[in-house]
Amino acid sequence: QSALAQPPSASGSPGQSVTISCTGTSSDVGAYNFVSWYQQHPGKAPKLLVYEVSERPSGVPDRFSGSKSGNTASLTVSGLQAEDEADYYCSSYAGSHNYVFGTGTKVTVL
Amino acid sequence: EVQLLESGGGLVQPGGSLRLSCAASGFTLGSYGMSWVRQAPGKGLEWVSAIYRGGSAYYADSVRGRFTISRDHSKSTLYLQMKSLRVEDTAVYYCVRDLKNYDILTAFPDWGQGTLVTVSS
């Protein structure tokens, strides 16, 4: 199972928005709505930001939003803040009891 | 509050074995699917293995036949037995709980702090 494709980096100034893409196939992202997004700060465990494409766990700000079209999912971070600087990973159920993560995107707040 | 505490990591030679443990609290271990996810130094996340409520176990191709996931309900502990370890198995291993109690992998809201496994001669 190949990793989902994400851009290596993305950036924006405070207050701006940044959108990260996550491209899979018709066997994973395109087939299931179990697409999630995680935020990881250096030396920390990942944190779930979005699940089932666009749902947010309690406590996650609504600045984080997810969507999906075909085989590509997206995470938009609106109103960028300094603490949003981190690595972001998408993930998807891939069928046959497999789970795949994205390659990761480093977000820099300029 | 859900807590997951991994232990058992360390330095092991190629071809060696190691058993990781994950002590779970704040929920009933057998009521949710549980997985191990790893992250090689400076690299991305990789799902390794899962065990569902009914005990069915699944593995990534990269570890199938070498790793075994199991759990002990009485100790509320998840395990990962790793054999025939390779240099490429070097990573931080995280214990994670699935969001849903479905028998598929949905999302991981709860993570342990991770335990480092280093495979080197």
Side-chain angles (χ1 to χ4, degrees):
Chain A
Q1 188 70 43
S2 299
L4 306 175
Q6 296 181 233
S9 62
S11 62
S13 299
Q16 290 186 332
S17 295
V18 64
T19 297
I20 304 167
S21 62
C22 169
T23 302
T25 69
S26 57
S27 297
D28 39 59
V29 174
Y32 303 96
N33 285 327
F34 293 117
V35 176
S36 303
W37 288 90
Y38 300 84
Q39 177 191 61
Q40 186 179 34
H41 288 108
K44 302 293 187 181
K47 173 187 175 182
L48 180 64
L49 294 177
V50 170
Y51 65 96
E52 291 177 16
V53 177
S54 59
E55 299 296 314
R56 281 185 306 276
S58 61
V60 173
D62 58 7
R63 302 187 295 105
F64 296 93
S65 61
S67 63
K68 188 183 87 166
S69 178
N71 298 338
T72 299
S74 298
L75 174 74
T76 297
V77 185
S78 305
L80 267 176
Q81 299 180 4
E83 59 262 37
D84 297 334
E85 186 159 295
D87 293 327
Y88 291 79
Y89 294 92
C90 62
S91 65
S92 174
Y93 180 64
S96 300
H97 307 290
N98 283 303
Y99 196 82
V100 61
F101 284 96
T103 51
T105 298
K106 181 176 181 60
V107 170
T108 301
V109 181
L110 302 171
Chain B
E1 179 191 5
V2 171
Q3 289 193 333
L4 301 168
L5 184 62
E6 303 95 337
S7 61
L11 175 63
V12 61
Q13 292 188 336
S17 299
L18 209 57
R19 188 179 81 159
L20 306 183
S21 300
C22 171
S25 61
F27 69 102
T28 301
L29 186 63
S31 295
Y32 289 86
M34 297 292 295
S35 285
W36 289 94
V37 173
R38 69 184 180 183
Q39 185 170 35
K43 302 297 184 181
L45 302 169
E46 180 187 16
W47 173 78
V48 172
S49 178
I51 186 166
Y52 291 159
R53 289 175 302 162
S56 299
Y58 300 94
Y59 303 91
D61 290 344
S62 57
V63 306
R64 187 175 294 113
R66 300 187 299 121
F67 290 12
T68 302
I69 190 171
S70 63
R71 64 193 176 191
D72 184 330
H73 293 288
S74 66
K75 296 181 178 179
S76 195
T77 300
L78 179 74
Y79 301 101
L80 186 68
Q81 177 69 53
M82 304 184 294
K83 299 180 178 180
S84 302
L85 282 162
R86 305 167 179 168
V87 171
E88 54 265 35
D89 294 320
T90 295
V92 173
Y93 285 73
Y94 294 101
C95 165
V96 301
R97 186 186 77 152
D98 205 278
L99 177 66
K100 306 280 188 175
N101 56 3
Y102 304 163
D103 283 344
I104 62 172
L105 301 161
T106 60
F108 306 135
D110 302 301
W111 296 65
Q113 85 290 348
T115 187
L116 176 63
V117 172
T118 302
V119 185
S120 175
S121 55

